[in-house]
């Protein structure tokens, strides 16, 4: 009878250890899932914010393009040089003499800008959009405080 009682105690202890191990595993996996979900939420929010900023800048670019198009329509019959001068004089516009393109920069968050280039045309087709892209416009400073080996030893060879 004593032998039977000790067997039951061992079984109850082993069952308890297995149950504790399972609870610890489930708790750990639950916390990992929660951490992963929080990271996914933050990533989704940053992506949504970046998309919102892009579409706001894109909308401003469309407004700039519509305003430039109206100006070109009003200047119908004038020379290409007069149109270039008028558009280049408009605030926020620039003119690249090397390429002959009218451009604008629309600033965005996080050091980015939307760049739009227009090439003016003669005739019914008043312009052609050459470039419409987002780029990093932030200025970076290179940290050169840490001496990095440049591939040459100290003796100069």
């Amino acid at each position: 009878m004593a032998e039977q009682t000790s067997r039951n105690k061992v079984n109850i202890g082993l069952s308890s250890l297995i149950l504790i191990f399972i609870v610890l595993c489930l708790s750990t996996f639950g916390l990992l899932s929660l951490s992963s979900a929080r990271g996914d939420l933050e990533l989704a929010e940053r992506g949504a914010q970046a998309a919102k900023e892009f579409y706001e800048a894109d909308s401003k670019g469309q407004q700039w393009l519509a305003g430039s198009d109206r100006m070109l329509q009003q200047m119908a019959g004038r020379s290409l040089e007069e149109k270039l001068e008028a558009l280049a004089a408009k605030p926020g516009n620039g003119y690249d003499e090397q390429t002959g393109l009218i451009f604008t920069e629309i600033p965005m968050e996080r050091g980015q800008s939307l760049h739009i280039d227009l090439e003016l045309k003669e005739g019914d087709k008043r312009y052609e959009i050459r470039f419409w892209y987002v780029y990093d416009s932030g200025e970076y400073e290179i940290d050169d405080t840490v001496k990095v080996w440049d591939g040459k030893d100290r003796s100069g060879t």
Side-chain angles (χ1 to χ4, degrees), residues 120-143:
L120 300 187
K121 301 282 188 178
E122 295 284 348
D124 291 338
K125 189 173 182 183
R126 293 177 292 278
Y127 61 88
E128 180 180 333
I129 299 171
R130 297 299 302 256
F131 299 103
W132 190 295
Y133 60 89
V134 175
Y135 72 99
D136 276 330
S137 59
E139 294 184 20
Y140 300 99
E141 288 186 28
I142 298 174
D143 180 14

Side-chain angles (χ1 to χ4, degrees), residues 42-58:
E42 290 173 6
L43 182 63
E45 287 172 346
R46 282 187 302 207
Q49 184 64 29
K52 179 183 174 191
E53 292 167 6
F54 170 76
Y55 286 114
E56 286 175 357
D58 190 61

Side-chain angles (χ1 to χ4, degrees), residues 6-22:
S6 66
R7 233 186 284 151
N8 288 339
K9 287 182 183 179
V10 171
N11 289 340
I12 292 173
L14 184 61
S15 299
S16 297
L17 286 175
I18 291 173
L19 184 61
I20 290 170
F21 178 73
I22 290 172

Side-chain angles (χ1 to χ4, degrees), residues 80-93:
L80 192 60
E81 289 77 25
E82 288 177 313
K83 293 176 184 178
L84 281 171
E85 286 178 20
L87 277 176
K90 190 176 172 187
N93 289 0

